[in-house]
Amino acid sequence: GTGKTEIAHRVARYLADTHPYLYSGSELTTATADWSTFDTVGGYMPTENSSDTDSDADLAFTPGIVLNRLKDAQTDVQVNEPLIIDELNRADIDKGFGQLFTLLSGHSVQLPFTRNDQEIQLLTTDHLDGLPDEHQYVVPASWRLFATMNTYDKTSLYEMSYAFMRRFAFIRVPAPELPAGNDDIDLQDLEDELNQYVAGWDDLDPSKEELRAVGLVWKNTNQAVAERAIGPAIVKDILGYV
């Protein structure tokens, strides 16, 4: 509850708003344990002309969530949408990313699928000659993939290999440092910090007593065990419940 997803979402939205000539929007999704390359890259699916009882149904390549950020699936027009993957380590990385390992290292890659009898290609701009064809997906140099993970859960979730981790820059988003003492000045500082959060939260108007009580719970919780602290999102939930 430290605001990781909110930060990533605001950064992606800022990129799209301030650089409309580069970015055509952004997308937020949540990783799950069921993810495979079918979800991220794509795979064969029956076409609209196929029926449920047709044993010879036509199959066509359907792009996954990553490829859909690079090309509009309806118009085949090139797009550039930063992607945010929330709770990344809830997915089995090897199963869920597959060929994207190579792509994230800056290299082009061919997929084991075809479109119009041509292998699907994921190309960096360095490997593109002219305009992309129907079977080609181009990754602009400005495209970005954001992901969030909660290190508290890492022992119960999937682990990430160094081969995957080195393709990312890691930014720690810690819980706020709260006043350590219990004198009037420290307690006032704690209340002032909480008031700054409350001012940004909709539909919350706690009393001074409620704010002080919840603030003390937050402070004592975060200072009970080293490196085990909760963020303001949980405090927001507590105030909302109260």
Side-chain angles (χ1 to χ4, degrees), residues 211-242:
L211 202 65
R212 173 66 62 90
V214 172
L216 287 172
V217 170
W218 190 19
K219 182 175 88 73
N220 289 314
T221 299
N222 284 14
Q223 295 170 359
V225 181
E227 299 299 322
R228 297 291 289 181
I230 60 175
I234 300 173
V235 175
K236 178 185 178 183
D237 293 339
I238 296 174
L239 287 172
Y241 180 80
V242 171

Side-chain angles (χ1 to χ4, degrees), residues 13-25 80:
R13 192 169 57 195
Y14 174 82
L15 290 175
D17 291 343
T18 59
H19 299 78
Y21 49 88
L22 280 180
Y23 301 103
S24 44
N80 183 9

Side-chain angles (χ1 to χ4, degrees), residues 5 8 43 66-67 100 126 133-135 152 160 182 203 211 216:
T5 304
V66 174
L67 268 61
L100 293 178
D126 294 336
D133 292 326
E134 189 178 10
H135 67 286
Y152 281 6
M160 292 189 293
N182 290 303
D203 303 324
L211 202 65
L216 287 172

Side-chain angles (χ1 to χ4, degrees), residues 18-206:
T18 59
H19 299 78
Y21 49 88
L22 280 180
Y23 301 103
S24 44
S26 62
E27 185 70 23
L28 170 66
T29 189
T30 304
T32 71
D34 298 325
W35 260 19
S36 69
T37 53
F38 187 90
D39 302 281
T40 57
V41 178
Y44 290 127
M45 286 189 64
T47 63
E48 293 181 356
N49 297 327
S50 304
S51 64
D52 294 336
T53 58
D54 186 2
S55 60
D56 297 323
D58 293 330
L59 297 177
F61 175 74
T62 301
I65 190 167
V66 174
L67 268 61
N68 278 329
R69 309 283 72 76
L70 306 174
K71 180 185 288 190
D72 189 300
Q74 305 298 322
T75 63
D76 274 342
V77 173
Q78 175 81 15
V79 295
N80 183 9
E81 298 178 355
L83 175 63
I84 307 160
I85 301 178
D86 201 23
E87 303 289 352
L88 177 66
N89 52 338
R90 294 191 180 277
D92 185 332
I93 302 299
D94 291 336
K95 184 178 74 172
F97 280 77
Q99 298 90 349
L100 293 178
F101 269 78
T102 303
L103 186 69
L104 291 175
S105 66
H107 299 284
S108 298
V109 64
Q110 286 188 323
L111 302 182
F113 307 105
T114 60
R115 176 177 285 174
N116 295 333
D117 298 326
Q118 292 183 298
E119 288 184 317
I120 303 292
Q121 294 179 324
L122 305 182
L123 302 175
T124 64
T125 51
D126 294 336
H127 295 92
L128 178 65
D129 185 16
L131 296 176
D133 292 326
E134 189 178 10
H135 67 286
Q136 295 176 322
Y137 289 80
V138 180
V139 184
S142 57
W143 185 73
R144 292 293 181 269
L145 172 61
F146 300 96
T148 70
M149 60 179 289
N150 191 338
T151 54
Y152 281 6
D153 297 331
K154 65 182 179 182
T155 56
S156 59
L157 302 177
Y158 290 102
E159 294 185 355
M160 292 189 293
S161 66
Y162 283 107
F164 187 78
M165 292 171 64
R166 71 179 180 84
R167 287 158 167 78
F168 288 85
F170 279 77
I171 301 173
R172 185 170 181 264
V173 184
E177 291 188 11
L178 303 176
N182 290 303
D183 57 31
D184 291 341
I185 295 177
D186 286 326
L187 293 179
Q188 186 59 52
D189 289 342
L190 175 64
E191 187 175 326
D192 291 343
E193 184 159 352
L194 272 168
N195 274 318
Q196 292 183 51
Y197 283 110
V198 170
W201 293 333
D202 296 330
D203 303 324
L204 280 181
D205 187 23

